[in-house]
Amino acid sequence: MTVSGFKLRAAILSLTVMGACFGPSAFAGRSADLNPQARTAFLTGTADLKKGDYLGAVTAFQQVLKVDKAFEPVYLNLGLAYNGLKQFERAIPVFTLALELDSRLQGAALLLGIDFYKTGAPEKAIGPLQKALALQKEGKLEAARAAFTKAKEL
């Protein structure tokens, strides 16, 4: 089963809207220690990603990594850009690294599993997909707890 370019772009756009993609909020607490060149490249790449210019996004995100390999948000966005280019085998190690740096990235786990499946390794897809499901359930549970706590305060 193949996914049309339109459907792939729509999926990536929905992930960016749902928060799977990191935008300017990724700088919270880091803006002072992030190189201005890396910051500009990250913002450019994120804008390119959102408008479907995946090659431009890859180029920009790679510039960020040349300056600051420790800036975690760039890895998820770079993986999304590789997916947009249908370069799933390049996205896999990027999503893997994203999860090593932040194990709570549900989007990275989900896409890692999907990419394993697309590249003919469905047995490797199971672990990341189970992780994505567990993170989704955990997020819903946390939201329910927060709503309950807020309701008790009323």
Side-chain angles (χ1 to χ4, degrees):
M1 179 174 161
T2 61
V3 179
S4 73
F6 175 77
K7 288 182 182 177
L8 184 61
R9 184 163 187 243
I12 290 172
L13 183 59
S14 70
L15 284 169
T16 62
V17 170
M18 290 180 353
C21 170
F22 288 104
S25 64
F27 297 107
R30 286 230 33 219
S31 59
D33 53 310
L34 186 65
N35 178 296
Q37 181 184 0
R39 179 185 174 94
T40 300
F42 181 77
L43 292 173
T44 299
T46 301
D48 287 345
L49 181 63
K50 288 182 179 181
K51 68 182 179 187
D53 179 7
Y54 305 121
L55 189 56
V58 166
T59 301
F61 295 140
Q62 287 174 340
Q63 288 175 351
V64 174
L65 291 174
K66 286 179 184 174
V67 176
D68 187 355
K69 288 190 185 302
F71 187 58
E72 299 93 355
V74 76
Y75 293 98
L76 177 60
N77 289 10
L78 179 58
L80 287 168
Y82 280 136
N83 266 338
L85 293 170
K86 298 182 182 177
Q87 296 178 358
F88 308 115
E89 47 298 309
R90 287 187 170 192
I92 288 172
V94 175
F95 286 137
T96 300
L97 186 54
L99 284 166
E100 287 173 9
L101 295 170
D102 184 351
S103 63
R104 298 186 47 80
L105 290 176
Q106 180 184 359
L110 176 64
L111 289 167
L112 178 61
I114 291 169
D115 287 353
F116 274 133
Y117 181 81
K118 287 181 178 181
T119 57
E123 69 285 351
K124 292 182 179 179
I126 295 169
L129 292 174
Q130 286 176 333
K131 181 173 186 63
L133 182 59
L135 288 169
Q136 180 186 24
K137 287 179 182 178
E138 185 178 307
K140 287 181 181 179
L141 182 59
E142 288 174 11
R145 282 185 186 141
F148 179 72
T149 301
K150 188 172 185 175
K152 284 189 347 184
E153 294 172 358
L154 297 176

